[in-house]
């Protein structure tokens, strides 16, 4: 058994770098969702998307939808892209984030730099059929 203060050997010879997903429109599947509390003590849903087509197929992208009244518009846009009926999105609606795991939609990704690190951000949601029509070859479409 290795003691914590002795350190340990790692081999980086086959370790790649984590490249960001370039800006564009991607077809994704929701592969995980979890209700969490943000660092500001606000309720949110943390979503994991897996790109299903094109050059970045298999890559993961994450976003959060905040559950405060002033931020629900983001979740509403996502649910519209998932074809949730507008009648459900005009009043009170009980959501179970697990119901959406496995569903497909389109997301637009942009990149931002923060403290010298470039991050991929989910900027918008569209129905999967719209994303597939705009990127029929499964390649990224830059905005």
């Amino acid at each position: 058994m290795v003691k914590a203060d002795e350190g340990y050997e790692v081999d980086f010879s086959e370790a790649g770098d984590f490249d960001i997903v370039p800006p564009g429109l991607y077809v994704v599947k929701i592969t995980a969702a979890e209700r969490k509390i943000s660092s500001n003590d606000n309720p949110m849903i943390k979503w994991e998307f897996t790109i299903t087509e094109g050059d970045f197929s298999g890559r993961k992208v994450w976003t959060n939808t905040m559950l405060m009244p002033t931020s629900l518009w983001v979740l509403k846009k996502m649910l519209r892209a998932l074809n949730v009926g507008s009648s459900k999105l005009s009043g009170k609606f009980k959501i179970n984030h697990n119901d959406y795991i496995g569903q497909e939609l389109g997301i637009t990704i942009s990149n931002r730099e923060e403290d010298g690190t470039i991050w991929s951000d989910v900027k918008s949601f569209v129905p999967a059929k719209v994303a597939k029509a705009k990127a029929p070859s499964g390649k990224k479409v830059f905005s």
Side-chain angles (χ1 to χ4, degrees):
M1 175 177 228
V2 176
K3 295 181 182 176
D5 59 354
E6 291 179 18
Y8 40 90
E9 185 176 298
V10 294
D11 181 359
F12 289 112
S13 60
E14 294 185 34
D17 289 323
F18 185 79
D19 296 324
I20 61 160
V21 175
L25 178 62
Y26 297 89
V27 179
V28 299
K29 188 173 280 192
I30 298 172
T31 48
E34 180 181 11
R35 181 156 178 182
K36 298 192 72 113
I37 300 296
S38 74
S39 59
N40 294 332
D41 291 326
N42 294 312
M44 67 180 188
I45 301 171
K46 182 179 181 88
W47 302 93
E48 176 188 270
F49 304 107
T50 301
I51 297 172
T52 59
E53 298 181 5
D55 297 340
F56 295 91
S57 183
R59 291 288 304 273
K60 307 271 188 201
V61 182
W62 299 267
T63 197
N64 301 323
T65 53
M66 306 309 290
L67 300 177
M68 296 98 56
T70 56
S71 302
L72 283 174
W73 63 272
V74 177
L75 179 60
K76 190 174 188 177
K77 288 181 91 165
M78 183 177 150
L79 292 173
R80 275 193 185 128
L82 290 166
N83 297 313
V84 172
S86 59
S87 63
K88 291 183 178 179
L89 301 177
S90 60
K92 289 186 178 183
F93 174 58
K94 185 171 184 169
I95 182 172
N96 181 341
H97 53 273
N98 292 316
D99 291 344
Y100 301 99
I101 294 174
Q103 292 196 29
E104 199 173 51
L105 71 156
I107 60 171
T108 302
I109 293 177
S110 69
N111 296 146
R112 67 179 162 84
E113 184 177 342
E114 184 177 307
D115 298 326
T117 300
I118 298 177
W119 300 92
S120 296
D121 291 331
V122 175
K123 286 298 184 186
S124 65
F125 307 97
V126 297
K129 65 182 179 182
V130 172
K132 289 178 180 186
K134 289 187 176 182
S137 66
K139 303 276 186 196
K140 59 190 175 291
V141 177
F142 290 98
S143 33

